[in-house]
């Protein structure tokens, strides 16, 4: 019996956890896929510590796998790292696809946890969850928060344009609501009658007093001419004007929040050891650099090669051949959208400002590639460059032009 207990204590087991907000479900299996433990646990520190101790008592080595890395999983992941455990990640999409290969069609937390554990036992391509420092965690939070603010601001601007159409279509066409000046204008004067009652000089003075310095006179002249083109009063104009003023103030508040968040991102990003290396790449500034760190964790040890990083970014097309069809390549379905956006956006910017990128882009266009295809090809090439720069801890240097011998 003692010998059998020692063998059990030395074996490796796999623990799959289906993450929830208030509760998780954990299933532990052995090398044969037999269930050793299956139970629901509250998302509280004491209960999770008890679960970790119970699972670790089953074997000398435990491989943990989860289907969510942030949010409700943060406490569990932190406790696992504190105990020195290995943690791997399967996306919800991977779990759902894998579940089709198991017996039964029902869906329960216990079944999902068992699928997660079994996939961790069989697969060797799962991404490890890395123990990140607080700086990366803060950057990830700030980047996600900024994306939410930008989305809210875009939605509010679209609603504002819709309200302006109920007041005066000419004014809506005349104003660029992506800038602060027109927004400030709409908080005080937003109907044709109110604007027509102002002289260009008086409106310009009011705009300058309220913080519009650049282009105040041009804005005043443009909006007055738009207001003079309409004398009809539209149905519900006064309520639409009131909502327009409120929406304009809301957009201004969101803009201030975005600017404040940008300052926080810039401060945190500048503290990272790779900040100078990343921003040395043409087309990558503070925001895109912060998004890169948030998507990758800033740790290239998680990527065995530049090809691995490109695959994670969705820039390494996968073959889709069948029968006589060959050479058919498609973008993979599973990739990090945020990281893909970083490389694609930076490639677009570098085409405009970096001679080497422009030369490569023009060459791809000359080969017959469409604009999007040429930018994607450039983005793929830039993955190799950035991966090498981070590996070697050196900054990008523009290759000097070669001169032909006389």
């Amino acid at each position: 019996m003692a010998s059998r207990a020692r063998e059990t204590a030395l074996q490796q087991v796999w623990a799959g956890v289906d993450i929830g907000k208030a509760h998780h479900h954990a299933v532990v299996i052995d090398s044969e896929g037999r269930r050793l433990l299956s139970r629901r646990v509250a998302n509280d520190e004491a209960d999770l510590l008890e679960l970790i101790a119970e699972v670790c008592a089953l074997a000398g080595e435990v491989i943990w796998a989860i289907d969510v890395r942030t949010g409700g999983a943060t406490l569990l992941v932190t406790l696992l790292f504190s105990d020195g455990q290995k943690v791997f990640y399967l996306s919800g999409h991977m779990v759902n696809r894998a579940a089709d290969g198991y017996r039964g069609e029902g869906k329960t937390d216990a079944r999902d946890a068992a699928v997660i554990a079994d996939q961790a036992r069989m697969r060797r391509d799962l991404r490890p969850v890395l123990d990140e420092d607080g700086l990366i965690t803060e950057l990830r939070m700030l980047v996600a928060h900024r994306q939410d603010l930008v989305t809210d601001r875009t939605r509010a601007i679209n609603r504002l344009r819709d309200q302006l159409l109920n007041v005066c279509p000419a004014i809506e066409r005349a104003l660029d609501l992506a800038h602060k000046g027109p927004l400030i204008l709409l908080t005080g004067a937003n109907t044709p009658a109110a604007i027509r009652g102002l002289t260009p000089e008086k409106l310009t003075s009011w705009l300058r007093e309220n913080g519009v310095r650049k282009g105040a006179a041009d804005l005043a002249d443009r909006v007055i001419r738009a207001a003079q083109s309409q004398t009809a009063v539209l149905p519900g104009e006064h309520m639409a004007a009131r909502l327009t003023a409120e929406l304009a103030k809301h957009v201004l508040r969101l803009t201030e929040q975005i600017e404040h968040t940008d300052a926080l991102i810039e401060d945190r990003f500048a503290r990272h050891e790779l900040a100078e290396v990343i921003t040395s790449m043409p087309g990558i500034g503070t925001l895109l650099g912060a998004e890169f760190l948030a998507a990758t964790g800033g740790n290239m040890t998680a990527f065995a090669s530049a090809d691995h990083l490109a695959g994670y970014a969705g820039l390494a097309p996968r073959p889709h051949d069948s029968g006589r069809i060959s050479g058919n390549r498609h973008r993979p379905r599973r990739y990090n959208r945020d990281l893909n956006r970083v490389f694609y956006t930076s490639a677009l910017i570098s085409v405009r400002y970096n001679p080497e990128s422009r030369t490569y882009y023009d060459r791809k266009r000359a080969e017959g590639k469409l604009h999007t295809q040429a930018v994607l090809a450039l983005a793929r090439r830039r993955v190799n460059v950035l991966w090498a720069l981070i590996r070697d801890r050196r900054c990008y240097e523009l290759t000097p032009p070669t001169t032909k011998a006389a």
Side-chain angles (χ1 to χ4, degrees):
M1 291 293 294
S3 175
R4 184 175 180 181
R6 284 194 297 271
E7 290 176 2
T8 302
L10 292 174
Q11 72 178 343
Q12 186 182 56
V13 296
W14 291 262
V17 185
D18 182 63
I19 301 297
K21 290 188 290 186
H23 296 83
H24 309 318
H25 198 104
V27 169
V28 182
I29 62 174
D30 62 12
S31 58
E32 301 297 325
R34 292 186 295 261
R35 291 195 188 187
L36 306 178
L37 179 148
S38 176
R39 73 180 181 91
R40 194 170 185 242
V41 59
N43 192 14
D44 295 311
E45 183 174 353
D47 294 324
L48 292 176
L49 287 174
E50 180 182 346
L51 172 69
I52 294 172
E54 184 178 355
V55 173
C56 290
L58 297 174
E61 182 182 9
V62 181
I63 303 298
W64 296 80
I66 56 179
D67 62 341
V68 177
R69 290 179 293 183
T70 57
T74 303
L75 177 58
L76 173 61
V77 172
T78 301
L79 295 176
L80 289 172
F81 283 148
S82 299
D83 198 54
Q85 300 294 309
K86 297 178 181 178
V87 186
F88 291 85
Y89 168 70
L90 285 84
S91 67
H93 178 74
M94 293 169 64
V95 176
N96 290 336
R97 292 288 296 273
D100 293 338
Y102 291 81
R103 185 174 57 187
E105 297 182 0
K107 185 186 185 305
T108 64
D109 293 343
R111 185 170 188 266
D112 288 345
V115 171
I116 294 170
D118 200 39
Q119 288 292 299
R121 178 178 68 91
M122 295 187 298
R123 299 182 62 161
R124 297 294 180 266
D125 61 341
L126 299 182
R127 283 181 52 81
V129 180
L130 302 177
D131 188 6
E132 300 172 346
D133 57 29
L135 189 61
I136 292 294
T137 302
E138 289 183 0
L139 273 175
R140 184 174 287 116
M141 291 178 178
L142 289 170
V143 166
H145 180 57
R146 186 184 189 277
Q147 291 173 347
D148 290 340
L149 290 174
V150 170
T151 300
D152 292 342
R153 185 176 184 272
T154 301
R155 185 183 299 113
I157 288 177
N158 290 336
R159 289 169 55 198
L160 178 57
R161 289 195 176 280
D162 186 62
Q163 290 299 337
L164 270 178
L165 290 175
N166 293 321
V167 177
C168 179
I171 293 179
E172 188 274 336
R173 291 193 301 269
L175 299 181
D176 183 359
L177 300 181
H179 296 87
K180 283 187 176 181
L183 295 170
I184 293 174
L185 168 70
L186 293 176
T187 62
N190 44 51
T191 64
I195 295 174
R196 285 197 305 269
L198 300 171
T199 63
E201 293 76 15
K202 187 174 182 179
L203 183 55
T204 300
S205 176
W206 182 87
L207 288 170
R208 287 173 177 167
E209 290 173 1
N210 285 272
V212 182
R213 297 289 184 265
K214 187 177 180 181
D218 178 67
L219 174 61
D221 180 67
R222 189 168 65 251
V223 76
I224 287 176
R225 281 190 282 107
Q228 289 173 346
S229 68
Q230 177 179 315
T231 58
V233 177
L234 304 185
E237 178 182 292
H238 295 294
M239 180 55 68
R242 180 177 179 179
L243 294 175
T244 294
E246 293 179 0
L247 281 170
K249 293 176 182 178
H250 179 54
V251 174
L252 286 171
R253 286 193 297 270
L254 288 173
T255 301
E256 292 177 359
Q257 289 180 304
I258 292 173
E259 292 174 350
H260 176 67
T261 304
D262 287 347
L264 293 176
I265 290 175
E266 184 176 359
D267 174 68
R268 268 62 175 183
F269 178 73
R271 299 181 198 175
H272 198 274
E273 60 178 352
L274 295 176
E276 186 178 359
V277 174
I278 294 172
T279 53
S280 69
M281 275 286 291
I284 299 183
T286 298
L287 288 178
L288 287 179
E291 291 179 17
F292 174 82
L293 290 178
T296 61
N299 190 343
M300 292 298 103
T301 58
F303 304 98
S305 64
D307 293 339
H308 189 186
L309 178 60
Y312 185 59
L315 295 172
R318 61 182 179 86
H320 193 74
D321 299 342
S322 179
R324 297 180 179 179
I325 300 175
S326 61
N328 194 14
R329 293 177 174 271
H330 292 276
R331 177 181 294 176
R333 292 183 179 180
R334 289 192 295 113
Y335 64 93
N336 189 295
R337 266 67 177 172
D338 294 330
L339 188 59
N340 181 275
R341 196 186 75 85
V342 168
F343 282 111
Y344 187 85
T345 304
S346 66
L348 276 176
I349 297 172
S350 67
V351 167
R352 296 181 60 187
Y353 300 105
N354 180 253
E356 292 180 345
S357 296
R358 185 71 199 190
T359 300
Y360 184 85
Y361 170 83
D362 290 339
R363 185 166 75 247
K364 291 299 176 182
R365 291 286 282 162
E367 293 173 1
K369 293 187 180 296
L370 300 175
H371 167 72
T372 302
Q373 294 173 325
V375 175
L376 285 172
L378 175 60
R380 173 64 184 87
R381 185 172 185 255
R382 288 165 58 84
V383 171
N384 293 348
V385 176
L386 185 57
W387 187 86
L389 292 178
I390 294 176
R391 179 198 61 193
D392 300 338
R393 291 295 195 275
R394 61 185 178 88
C395 293
Y396 177 88
E397 296 180 1
L398 183 64
T399 304
T402 58
T403 56
K404 295 182 180 180

